[in-house]
Amino acid sequence: MRILAILLCLSLGYLVPRQVDAQAQIDPADGFTSLPLNQSNFQVQRPYDVPVDQRYSFEDGVHKLWVFDTDKPHTPTSQTEPRTEIRIRGYDYSSGVWQFEGQGYVPGGTSGVCIMQIFGAVGHTTTSMLRVYNGTLYYYRSQVLVENIYNKWFKLNVIHDVGDSNVKIYMDDQLRYEVPDRGGDLHYFKFGVYAQDNSSHCMESRWKDVKVLKKN
């Protein structure tokens, strides 16, 4: 009976979220194909009552997105918190293995904010959220991924394996966290700033070299 129990635990192990100790650097993009992206794939969602250029800029290859906790939502009928996010269009998915890659930067003082998410789930809105609180990057608010991320560029890779119901999060080419997804039959990537609990007055993130990849 004990052997059967061990085998059962091993067979279900991928269903259990696990913190991953720092490992040797690898390239998470190995075995993936980078898909074509241009500005037409980047839909900016910002407070509905202000022009885009008052919450978003794109200069020298850097997307800069900011929002205030007093801002309105992105549509007049939305009940969500303020956001300035880029919703990546053209690569919605319901199967396969997909990956978001980007170089991110969070200025000091930005807190209580989601900077990247995978939209789509069962019983929830999102399958994955990466949030910043007081300079620490979290998975939602339940798991610390990296501390002291303010004022420096970092490389983020998030891999969603729909068939295996699995999400892997890499920071600077090191696997930091592995967790089950939340189901759902439609997903897409978003990045920027989306106010959460206890948000700072001003929230900002910057992104460059953003890619969407799909496993070969």
Side-chain angles (χ1 to χ4, degrees):
M1 290 294 293
R2 183 179 180 185
I3 293 176
L4 287 175
I6 292 172
L7 290 174
L8 179 60
C9 288
L10 290 173
S11 69
L12 295 177
Y14 71 94
L15 294 176
V16 180
R18 66 186 184 98
Q19 175 73 28
V20 180
D21 293 332
Q23 302 175 347
Q25 289 186 326
I26 65 169
D27 184 357
D30 280 349
F32 286 77
T33 297
S34 183
L35 304 174
L37 275 181
N38 56 50
Q39 280 298 107
S40 68
N41 296 108
F42 298 136
Q43 178 188 20
V44 180
Q45 299 178 343
R46 87 286 182 185
Y48 70 83
D49 62 337
V50 298
V52 172
D53 62 4
Q54 290 188 17
R55 295 295 182 272
Y56 167 76
S57 68
F58 182 64
E59 297 179 3
D60 299 324
V62 176
H63 304 271
K64 180 179 176 181
L65 307 100
W66 65 99
V67 76
F68 298 97
D69 64 348
T70 52
D71 277 337
K72 299 222 175 355
H74 67 293
T75 68
T77 58
S78 174
Q79 301 300 311
T80 60
E81 296 299 317
R83 72 180 77 197
T84 304
E85 286 186 303
I86 288 178
R87 184 258 209 250
I88 298 181
R89 304 180 64 180
Y91 294 114
D92 296 6
Y93 61 93
S94 57
S95 62
V97 185
W98 293 75
Q99 181 172 178
F100 170 92
E101 178 179 303
Q103 300 276 345
Y105 182 100
V106 180
T110 289
S111 187
V113 65
C114 171
I115 62 169
M116 187 270 164
Q117 61 171 294
I118 302 175
F119 184 87
V122 173
H124 302 271
T125 303
T126 60
T127 275
S128 176
M129 263 193 177
L130 303 185
R131 300 183 186 179
V132 174
Y133 292 96
N134 300 317
T136 297
L137 184 67
Y138 288 79
Y139 172 79
Y140 289 96
R141 199 167 184 176
S142 62
Q143 180 64 53
V144 172
L145 301 176
V146 180
E147 297 179 337
N148 303 319
I149 68 164
Y150 280 156
N151 302 320
K152 56 189 175 186
W153 288 99
F154 55 84
K155 182 185 177 189
L156 173 67
N157 295 76
V158 181
I159 299 175
H160 185 195
D161 186 331
V162 179
D164 281 350
S165 303
N166 178 270
V167 176
K168 292 180 179 178
I169 302 166
Y170 293 80
M171 287 287 291
D172 294 323
D173 295 331
Q174 292 184 336
L175 179 61
R176 293 290 182 173
Y177 198 50
E178 185 174 358
V179 66
D181 72 6
R182 292 175 159 187
D185 54 10
L186 176 67
H187 304 282
Y188 51 81
F189 299 125
K190 302 180 77 176
F191 63 95
V193 279
Y194 176 22
Q196 303 297 307
D197 53 304
N198 299 315
S199 64
S200 53
H201 174 56
C202 181
M203 294 153 274
E204 179 186 326
S205 71
R206 305 169 196 172
W207 296 86
K208 62 183 180 180
D209 301 328
V210 172
K211 299 177 184 177
V212 172
L213 307 98
K214 187 176 182 183
K215 193 153 193 179
N216 299 332

